[in-house]
Amino acid sequence: MDASRFVVLVLALTVDFVFHTSGQLTCSSNECSLYSNASRDNAIYCIGAGTCAERYDGVEAINGFTRVQVTNVNQEGWVPSSCIQESTNCTIATTMAPQTTPGGSQLCTLGSNIWPRDCVAGLNCTYEATAQYNATNLFITMTATGTGWLAIGFSPNNTGMQNADIYMSSVITMMATVENRYASGLTEPAFDSNQGIISDVSGTENGGVTTISFTRNRTVTDASKDFPFGNGSCYYWLGAWHSSNPFFASRHTSRFYSSDLICLNESSQC
């Protein structure tokens, strides 16, 4: 090989290296290039010729789906967690909405709690909480207007937050957190030592709206603070949020309670 051809080959390799490590993305022939930059190194999925989707920072799979954002486009959605990165079998959906959990158990709808009470769920609610369940777990999603913390609680009595099983959550620097707490009175709910009943936490902040999802065991080891969700169990649902402060010590901006008991009924909900 003469010197001129050697120089051309070295330059070509250098250009290719810079292109694939500088944060640029390609999806030609239905393939995405993995990329990294100074702030993140996330999985990339190909969802069609010329279109890539990036997994959210800190957002893991939930109910068999992974939260993604279409690169350089203001579009979000979910891809099946079984989807192979950089492959051609990734189909993006605008909602998670699986009908079965990864274990194959049927998902049943427990209920929802919205505020204001006359809002339309998924459209103009300031706060919205929904729950589905299978044989072993609850799958809870909360959405609220703002960038502060949000919480859901359950109480067998219509006494507000007093003696309620509370789950407080927030997204800070793109990381979602959910804490199991118990409110014995009208002050900040106390941290519960049993955090093991929570799993699969995920969350996002987008356009001034915070959304957090998590899984919670139906059975518990301390029924005095963590209420069980057996067939026939009924609880009032509590909702609370702060419009801008993600730290739990800050007092809520607003709170409300469901007007009726919400009951788990496997015969009619599944």
Side-chain angles (χ1 to χ4, degrees):
M1 179 184 295
D2 60 40
S4 61
R5 290 185 178 181
F6 178 78
V7 171
V8 170
L9 176 60
V10 170
L11 288 174
L13 291 174
T14 302
V15 169
D16 183 71
F17 175 78
V18 171
F19 178 78
H20 287 291
T21 59
S22 62
Q24 301 295 319
L25 294 173
T26 63
C27 194
S28 59
S29 302
N30 288 337
E31 292 183 353
C32 289
S33 297
L34 290 179
Y35 83 106
S36 63
N37 60 29
S39 62
R40 61 181 181 266
D41 185 7
N42 286 344
I44 302 296
Y45 301 89
C46 183
I47 59 172
T51 307
C52 302
E54 173 192 0
R55 187 184 66 197
Y56 266 87
D57 287 286
V59 179
E60 301 300 329
I62 179 170
N63 293 0
F65 285 73
T66 297
R67 183 77 165 172
V68 297
Q69 181 173 14
V70 179
T71 308
N72 298 325
V73 179
N74 186 23
Q75 179 185 351
E76 301 172 0
W78 301 83
V79 296
S81 300
S82 59
C83 180
I84 303 173
Q85 297 172 23
E86 299 185 83
S87 73
T88 61
N89 66 341
C90 299
T91 301
I92 192 168
T94 56
T95 59
M96 190 170 52
Q99 296 303 308
T100 58
T101 61
S105 300
Q106 182 179 1
L107 272 178
C108 312
T109 299
L110 174 57
S112 63
N113 199 23
I114 57 176
W115 187 262
R117 299 195 192 280
D118 60 352
C119 70
V120 178
L123 182 62
N124 61 346
C125 297
T126 303
Y127 173 99
E128 181 176 352
T130 61
Q132 294 178 299
Y133 64 93
N134 65 6
T136 55
N137 295 311
L138 297 178
F139 304 98
I140 298 171
T141 297
M142 296 177 286
T143 299
T145 301
T147 56
W149 60 262
L150 53 163
I152 186 172
F154 307 100
S155 175
N157 306 306
N158 193 11
T159 56
M161 66 180 289
Q162 191 169 6
N163 299 318
D165 184 10
I166 305 285
Y167 298 85
M168 301 189 70
S169 64
S170 66
V171 176
I172 301 177
T173 60
M174 300 185 72
M175 292 296 294
T177 300
V178 177
E179 288 186 359
N180 178 17
R181 296 192 171 213
Y182 181 77
S184 58
L186 301 180
T187 58
E188 179 186 354
F191 185 84
D192 191 326
S193 60
N194 181 19
Q195 299 294 314
I197 63 174
I198 298 172
S199 61
D200 297 327
V201 175
S202 65
T204 62
E205 284 183 359
N206 184 37
V209 175
T210 300
T211 300
I212 294 179
S213 299
F214 65 99
T215 300
R216 192 266 201 193
N217 296 352
R218 284 181 60 181
T219 59
V220 298
T221 57
D222 181 6
S224 65
K225 294 183 178 180
D226 299 321
F227 301 146
F229 278 82
N231 191 30
S233 60
C234 297
Y235 300 105
Y236 291 94
W237 287 23
L238 291 64
W241 67 96
H242 195 287
S243 61
S244 59
N245 195 330
F247 298 102
F248 301 152
S250 57
R251 183 176 174 80
H252 57 263
T253 297
S254 188
R255 67 181 180 186
F256 73 106
Y257 316 107
S258 64
S259 56
D260 300 305
L261 288 165
I262 298 176
C263 301
L264 192 151
N265 188 329
E266 294 175 351
S267 62
S268 63
Q269 295 169 340
C270 298

